[in-house]
Amino acid sequence: MMKPPIDDVEKPLTLAELMGAADADPEPTGPRFWRSLSELADDGSFAEQARSAAARAQAAIYGLDEASRRKFLTLMGASFALSGVVGCGVQPVEKIVPYVEQPELIVPGRPLFFATASPAGGDGLGLLVESHMGRPTKIEGNPSHPASQGATDIFAQAEILTLYDPDRSQVLVHDGRVDTWDHFLRFAVDLRTRKLESKGRGLRILTRSVSSPTMLDQLRRLKEAMPEAKWHTYEAVSRDAAHKGAELALGASHELRPHLDKADVVVALDADFLSWGPASVRLSRAFADRRDPDLTGGTMLRLYAFEPTPTVTGAAADHRTPVAAADVLLVAAALAKALKVEGAPALATDRISAHSDAITALAAELEAHKGKAIVLVGDSQPAEVHALALAINSALGAIGTTLTFGPAVEQGASLVELVRDIDAGNVDTLLVLGGNPVYEAPADLKVAEALKNEKLTTLVHMGLYNDETGAISHWHLPEAHFLESWGDVRSSDGTIAPIQPLIEPLYQGHSPIEVLSALLGEVGVPSREVVRNYWRTKLPAPSFEQTWRAALRDGVFRLPGESEAAPTVAAPKLDKVTWPAPAAPGGEDLEIVFRPDPTIWDGRYANNGWLQELPKPITTMTWENAAMVSPALAKKLNLRDGQLVVLDFRSTPLEKKIPILIQPGQAENSVTVHLGYGRARAGRVGNDIGFDANLLRRSDALWSSFGLALKPTQETTKLPITQHHNSMRSEEDGRDILRVHKLGEHPHHHEEPTGSLIPDPPVPQSEDYAWGMAIDLNRCLGCSACTIACQAENNIPVVGKDQVLNSREMHWIRVDRYYEGGEENPATHFQPVPCQQCEKAPCELVCPVEATSHSDEGLNEMTYNRCVGTRYCGNNCPYKVRRFNFLGYNNYEPNVSNLPMVNNPDVTVRMRGVMEKCTYCVQRINEARQNAKIAGGKIGRDEVVTACQGACPTKAIVFGNLKDPESAVSKLKASTRNYSLLGELGTLPRTSYLAKLTNPAGGAGHEAEAPKESHHG
């Protein structure tokens, strides 16, 4: 931060300076934008690492060593079922048989789309699923559903791979032997008879969060029939604290519904609302719209973030402050005191004294934006912080404007209570319907030991996988994937959507609804009829069938007389809140911070190869978790990346040594570990990867606590991090890659070159179409939904950890992450990079067999069966967006796996030895062309939507016809913020970028005019 001159010490600092947003030193060393600490230091190690990586890749071009090869062949699960790495991977001969009579509605080669919803995490996300000949292949967002608005997140995109995972549970198991569903139903009827006699005494049901109206109705009816039975819920990543906080402040639990579209100032207190939570897709869209000066008339929402570890939300903030998780309560209390909130606690703020002036200035800005400001608290913070935030929001006039409420999600009793009852011998029958408590529960609950209690005579587990809980159960029931089953789900915004199957259960799975139906005496009633019977009581009788069919078609239940008005709530009060003493370190104690993994969440996606290999937004790490420490702590303890350490929490050391990752922007004495790894029964892809952070977790410290000791060892390991793969930077750092400036500033204009030494392509240009793309960096959050959508659409294989370490990941679009500023709290920027579709492409000139060529519509095309693997094109690509298929990653194990069913039939499945890259989803362009030809016209304006564009929650990616001046992409390219990546090379790329804007306090402000010039090196 720039210091004031000595003779001007008494001059008050601006809010921008107080929040650490001032410009860096006028003569910084190293690059303005950097991707790692070694690159920032510019000590030569970065170049040496790059050369070493290149040498390793060159040495391994023709195969793997024997140990790596054996490991590679074991990864035969989700997206990997390989037959071996041999020869050129010639596909086996297969016979196909034509239809004698075509099924109704099915036209070969034309997909159908069906509306459904994902119930993950107890919250609904409306989806449209593409089905080819009765086979689901791709998931899109449902434009009719308010929670998705046509977009998705990475988890929804990857559910297709989970559906076909051959490691999913395929047989019903009873006492270690394969059994039948009919046998279980007979057992369930007998169990019902016995439990009715005892009014349900000793019966417990454990589920994850349930927001299915039908299933909640079943649980209520079961409670009426068996009043002494009890329902419990447990999520490793839950919203319990937010619900309890609302109960403390409002007298009743409510679902909070933020409205960022009405906000000018947002404060995130350890709240990663842009990637974590029930409404992240919806909130991401609203946030991006409020940050778009073209939509808002030149103004921008301003975001402040206080957090212990870098997040997607923190990266998007104009002002980000690293604070320990325990100190977030102190920040909230100081903010409440500055706003004169009634009942706010007077807590000692010594630990945040460095931020006191900034918090006072922030309070003044919030006060100036009453009715247009909101304070959000993350689910990892205790209930007291949520209650305090509600009081702050009330004082700011947020309630009823930027913050409304919905009815609370029904919850069962806690897992802690269940374990206590089992230990007391009060439970003889437990049904675990979904979830994996043996793995997911905190270590101190000792769930595995409790479930082996000899008084618990019957343990039934239903799950997608025969996992850690299924392994010790008396009954294990295969669960049907939501794409194979009927149901319904309510979203956090109150929208209710039907869940309808796209395919018959692949592995004879059933749904929890069917298990509950058996306990209710409704044996043999299909889940579809159970759902229909419930909604028959809610929808108008005369037109039920019409309304039902409309709900299935649209993906949304539109209830008669449903009011959009939010319920009124009592004014928040803090008189019933008992304020905890802020946790403080003792001696050399560090704070441990638990977080769900950005890609595999709480471990439920551990066997999904797409998500394992997806680089995490901030760290760009794959296939691994690590202990994240700050640069200051690393220097203090003499730690380095990849060094193995022993973590000891509350005198309980973790047996497995875990690697260190030095994370810029991490709170100084906080160590972050991610959940989801260390699985023993995830499947062939997810087993034995990383370490199990749940072994350190405690029921009274679910998210953070002091008491951690870190003991370094002399051992090291290599972390599969992709941030330096496919680098576009020269060693002199003279290239203009990323452009960022403040709102209202007028940076120096960079002239785009008009000439080029590269000759024109030897093809005429089409008079009707010139395809192009624009990516708005101001909207991009770095969530990687585009990467996973491209993988699903274009049959992109997974290569595994060893190959990632060799820089061989196959993603056609990558999301580069750059830092700006000092290592302790840098600004973070993201840049998606697909093939730039150069009009004068260097790759085309050097291909000896013309496998890459130029179309008359401007596409840089690939002819895979011409490619002989010289890789000249990749060497000549300045953007490093071409991928070489070194090994037979797509050779699936025959007669075992359903994985080939995941492939998009409209896209070639590439075999070993060819170069591949982004094609602007040419298959979608061709489909639109065929439809236009049949209709006797041209492709409609903005009709073609690429996979990355369709998945993007913020609409950062826009594609279309540059020949149409009214197309969305043409309008974006006319913006003064538009620039070409490495445009000085004269390649004339068809993909361009819009510079990112920031809105720091003390800058142009909320009412600034839109900038006239936006180019910035």
Side-chain angles (χ1 to χ4, degrees):
M1 183 171 64
M2 184 180 292
K3 299 180 180 179
I6 295 177
D7 59 354
D8 197 23
V9 171
E10 299 302 321
K11 182 179 179 181
L13 296 175
T14 67
L15 180 55
E17 293 170 322
L18 290 169
M19 298 301 293
D23 291 336
D25 294 336
E27 296 181 2
T29 60
R32 177 186 174 188
F33 298 110
W34 48 281
R35 294 190 292 171
S36 69
L37 294 173
S38 60
E39 187 173 330
L40 175 66
D42 197 20
D43 57 1
S45 62
F46 168 61
E48 181 60 31
Q49 289 171 9
R51 284 191 292 270
S52 297
R56 288 196 307 270
Q58 182 69 26
I61 284 176
Y62 298 106
L64 305 166
D65 59 40
E66 188 60 27
S68 298
R69 182 177 181 274
R70 286 196 301 268
K71 173 64 175 174
F72 188 65
L73 289 174
T74 64
L75 295 174
M76 295 168 21
S79 79
F80 261 136
L82 301 177
S83 58
V85 186
V86 293
C88 295
V90 178
Q91 292 181 335
V93 176
E94 298 175 344
K95 295 182 179 181
I96 59 175
V97 179
Y99 282 121
V100 176
E101 182 178 348
Q102 299 293 345
E104 182 183 4
L105 299 179
I106 291 182
V107 178
R110 286 192 173 274
L112 295 175
F113 288 84
F114 297 88
T116 187
S118 166
D123 188 72
L125 185 68
L127 305 174
L128 291 180
V129 184
E130 181 178 1
S131 176
H132 285 269
M133 312 285 285
R135 173 170 58 90
T137 59
K138 181 67 170 65
I139 291 177
E140 309 285 358
N142 184 353
S144 300
H145 197 289
S148 63
Q149 302 179 57
T152 55
D153 57 17
I154 61 172
F155 303 112
Q157 288 290 329
E159 287 285 4
I160 282 287
L161 187 59
T162 299
L163 170 67
Y164 295 113
D165 186 354
D167 286 338
R168 275 177 51 197
S169 179
Q170 301 189 20
V171 293
L172 187 149
V173 179
H174 178 210
D175 289 337
R177 296 184 177 182
V178 175
D179 213 322
T180 65
W181 177 251
D182 288 340
H183 188 187
F184 171 75
L185 289 181
R186 289 196 294 272
F187 161 80
V189 170
D190 179 65
L191 176 65
R192 168 181 165 80
T193 302
R194 289 186 285 111
K195 291 303 177 183
L196 282 176
E197 295 175 355
S198 64
K199 298 183 179 180
R201 187 183 306 115
L203 175 63
R204 297 288 191 273
I205 296 173
L206 175 64
T207 68
R208 284 177 169 151
S209 295
V210 176
S211 56
S212 163
T214 297
M215 192 169 170
L216 289 171
D217 178 68
Q218 288 183 304
L219 290 167
R220 283 191 292 268
R221 290 193 287 134
L222 190 63
K223 181 68 175 178
E224 292 172 0
M226 306 176 188
E228 294 192 27
K230 188 175 289 186
W231 167 46
H232 299 260
T233 55
Y234 178 74
E235 287 269 3
V237 183
S238 72
R239 304 201 297 274
D240 291 348
H243 298 148
K244 291 177 182 177
E247 190 172 347
L248 283 174
L250 304 174
S253 180
H254 290 278
E255 191 71 34
L256 276 61
R257 297 175 180 172
H259 301 277
L260 301 187
D261 55 320
K262 301 177 181 178
D264 284 343
V265 182
V266 177
V267 179
L269 300 179
D270 197 9
D272 189 13
F273 61 86
L274 295 178
S275 67
W276 174 3
S280 60
V281 173
R282 176 178 64 85
L283 293 178
S284 295
R285 176 69 57 81
F287 176 81
D289 287 347
R290 285 291 293 115
R291 298 279 292 184
D292 190 337
D294 296 329
L295 293 180
T296 61
T299 65
M300 280 177 60
L301 174 151
R302 182 172 293 145
L303 173 61
Y304 296 82
F306 297 83
E307 58 187 17
T309 192
T311 64
V312 168
T313 301
D318 298 292
H319 300 283
R320 178 188 177 274
T321 304
V323 296
D327 291 346
V328 173
L329 173 60
L330 302 180
V331 172
L335 192 59
K337 181 180 178 182
L339 291 169
K340 300 179 180 179
V341 174
E342 183 179 354
L347 302 177
T349 57
D350 295 345
R351 295 213 305 268
I352 60 167
S353 58
H355 312 305
S356 57
D357 291 340
I359 292 173
T360 301
L362 172 58
E365 182 174 1
L366 291 171
E367 186 79 27
H369 289 85
K370 275 191 172 182
K372 293 186 176 181
I374 185 173
V375 176
L376 299 175
V377 178
D379 293 333
S380 59
Q381 284 295 311
E384 292 80 8
V385 183
H386 288 269
L388 184 54
L390 285 171
I392 294 174
N393 281 318
S394 179
L396 294 175
I399 296 179
T401 55
T402 56
L403 180 65
T404 60
F405 301 92
V409 176
E410 294 186 51
Q411 296 289 331
S414 69
L415 180 62
V416 174
E417 184 178 342
L418 173 62
V419 172
R420 187 169 59 242
D421 287 348
I422 293 175
D423 290 340
N426 298 328
V427 182
D428 57 49
T429 304
L430 172 63
L431 278 68
V432 181
L433 303 182
N436 183 13
V438 170
Y439 168 78
E440 296 170 354
D444 64 314
L445 291 184
K446 300 180 179 178
V447 170
E449 294 181 18
L451 296 185
K452 294 176 183 178
N453 189 314
E454 53 186 40
K455 292 187 178 180
L456 181 62
T457 57
T458 303
L459 175 59
V460 179
H461 172 255
M462 169 174 271
L464 286 176
Y465 296 86
N466 193 340
D467 51 29
E468 290 86 345
T469 304
I472 64 172
S473 299
H474 303 112
W475 290 88
H476 167 71
L477 315 177
E479 183 179 5
H481 191 273
F482 76 85
L483 293 175
E484 302 171 322
S485 58
W486 287 92
D488 50 16
V489 64
R490 181 189 296 271
S491 303
S492 59
D493 64 353
T495 304
I496 303 174
I499 298 174
Q500 60 176 328
L502 273 290
I503 193 172
E504 288 284 342
L506 295 171
Y507 305 123
Q508 307 303 314
H510 296 269
S511 71
I513 287 178
E514 294 175 80
V515 176
L516 293 176
S517 293
L519 292 179
L520 288 168
E522 301 169 357
V523 178
V525 179
S527 56
R528 175 180 182 271
E529 292 307 311
V530 176
V531 177
R532 277 173 55 88
N533 291 340
Y534 170 79
W535 284 104
R536 199 182 298 274
T537 66
K538 303 296 180 182
L539 300 176
S543 58
F544 169 75
E545 288 297 337
Q546 181 180 355
T547 308
W548 170 259
R549 291 182 67 86
L552 296 182
R553 181 192 65 232
D554 300 337
V556 176
F557 279 111
R558 307 187 188 281
L559 303 181
E562 185 178 28
S563 174
E564 295 294 331
T568 57
V569 299
K573 295 182 180 180
L574 302 176
D575 54 333
K576 295 183 179 180
V577 180
T578 301
W579 301 105
E588 297 298 318
D589 281 357
L590 301 172
E591 180 185 54
I592 187 168
V593 177
F594 299 96
R595 289 293 182 266
D597 188 80
T599 58
I600 67 168
W601 202 237
D602 57 3
R604 70 185 68 187
Y605 298 106
N607 210 53
N608 191 299
W610 290 353
L611 293 175
Q612 284 280 12
E613 198 154 289
L614 183 67
K616 305 179 198 307
I618 303 296
T619 65
T620 74
M621 187 160 61
T622 66
W623 292 100
E624 186 68 270
N625 60 343
M628 294 166 53
V629 302
S630 67
L633 183 61
K635 292 174 183 176
K636 178 181 177 182
L637 300 179
N638 196 26
L639 301 173
R640 61 190 184 278
D641 278 343
Q643 183 174 356
L644 297 182
V645 301
V646 175
L647 293 186
D648 186 331
F649 182 53
R650 295 182 180 177
S651 301
T652 303
L654 194 65
E655 291 184 6
K656 185 172 184 177
K657 299 172 185 177
I658 63 177
I660 285 293
L661 177 64
I662 303 173
Q663 177 58 59
Q666 180 83 1
E668 182 173 348
N669 293 311
S670 297
V671 178
T672 299
V673 294
H674 287 94
L675 309 175
Y677 286 89
R679 295 288 307 277
R681 292 180 62 87
R684 285 168 285 186
V685 168
N687 285 345
D688 304 320
I689 297 176
F691 64 93
D692 182 4
N694 289 309
L695 297 177
L696 295 172
R697 217 174 180 200
R698 299 294 181 268
S699 55
D700 63 342
L702 285 176
W703 294 114
S704 62
S705 176
F706 284 101
L708 176 72
L710 188 153
K711 303 173 183 178
T713 72
Q714 297 306 311
E715 301 174 54
T716 61
T717 187
K718 295 178 182 178
L719 296 175
I721 294 175
T722 66
Q723 62 187 4
H724 286 311
H725 296 182
N726 308 301
S727 174
M728 296 180 290
R729 305 181 75 91
S730 65
E731 292 188 21
E732 295 77 22
D733 189 40
R735 295 183 173 181
D736 185 14
I737 294 175
L738 193 67
R739 300 187 184 180
V740 181
H741 64 78
K742 296 177 183 177
L743 179 67
E745 281 189 348
H746 304 280
H748 298 294
H749 180 73
H750 287 240
E751 294 290 341
E752 296 286 351
T754 56
S756 174
L757 296 177
I758 304 173
D760 293 330
V763 291
Q765 288 193 359
S766 167
E767 296 182 359
D768 298 322
Y769 308 111
W771 303 109
M773 179 177 285
I775 302 176
D776 190 347
L777 300 182
N778 198 46
R779 284 179 165 268
C780 178
L781 301 175
C783 70
S784 296
C786 54
T787 302
I788 207 76
C790 177
Q791 186 159 24
E793 171 74 14
N794 293 294
N795 304 334
I796 297 174
V798 172
V799 302
K801 178 180 177 179
D802 292 338
Q803 294 296 292
V804 172
L805 286 169
N806 276 332
S807 306
R808 291 179 176 176
E809 64 273 13
M810 296 295 294
H811 296 133
W812 287 4
I813 178 172
R814 68 179 190 270
V815 181
D816 289 341
R817 186 266 295 124
Y818 294 96
Y819 291 127
E820 178 185 13
E823 63 183 24
E824 295 303 330
N825 187 25
T828 306
H829 312 293
F830 299 101
Q831 184 178 48
V833 185
C835 173
Q836 302 292 289
Q837 304 291 340
C838 305
E839 293 190 39
K840 298 189 175 183
C843 58
E844 296 174 6
L845 297 175
V846 297
C847 181
V849 293
E850 295 186 359
T852 179
S853 57
H854 214 77
S855 78
D856 62 343
E857 296 177 358
L859 296 185
N860 183 254
E861 298 177 326
M862 282 297 303
T863 307
Y864 294 118
N865 63 354
R866 292 185 65 91
C867 181
V868 295
T870 64
R871 293 180 292 134
Y872 296 159
C873 56
N875 292 335
N876 281 270
C877 174
Y879 307 101
K880 303 306 174 189
V881 290
R882 289 175 167 263
R883 305 286 175 261
F884 185 65
N885 205 334
F886 280 93
L887 301 170
Y889 306 122
N890 271 319
N891 293 345
Y892 298 111
E893 186 177 4
N895 305 320
V896 173
S897 173
N898 284 315
L899 285 174
M901 295 175 67
V902 78
N903 288 332
N904 183 354
D906 294 330
V907 178
T908 302
V909 177
R910 285 80 55 192
M911 297 166 64
R912 179 183 180 182
V914 303
M915 188 69 75
E916 43 183 274
K917 67 171 190 68
C918 162
T919 63
Y920 271 171
C921 288
V922 66
Q923 67 277 6
R924 297 191 176 196
I925 298 175
N926 290 335
E927 181 183 5
R929 194 191 324 278
Q930 293 167 5
N931 293 338
K933 184 176 181 180
I934 293 172
K938 296 182 179 180
I939 299 175
R941 177 178 298 159
D942 300 330
E943 177 182 349
V944 180
V945 177
T946 62
C948 56
Q949 175 187 7
C952 181
T954 62
K955 290 188 174 180
I957 301 175
V958 176
F959 174 80
N961 184 10
L962 299 178
K963 292 284 187 179
D964 181 358
E966 296 302 314
S967 66
V969 68
S970 295
K971 292 179 178 179
L972 278 185
K973 287 181 177 290
S975 169
T976 56
R977 291 192 287 129
N978 185 69
Y979 73 97
S980 296
L981 184 60
L982 305 182
E984 67 271 17
L985 300 181
T987 58
L988 305 181
R990 285 284 180 91
T991 296
S992 62
Y993 295 84
L994 273 67
K996 181 179 178 179
L997 302 175
T998 61
N999 185 24
H1006 295 284
E1007 308 303 328
E1009 294 293 330
K1012 302 299 182 184
E1013 300 288 347
S1014 303
H1015 299 277
H1016 195 178

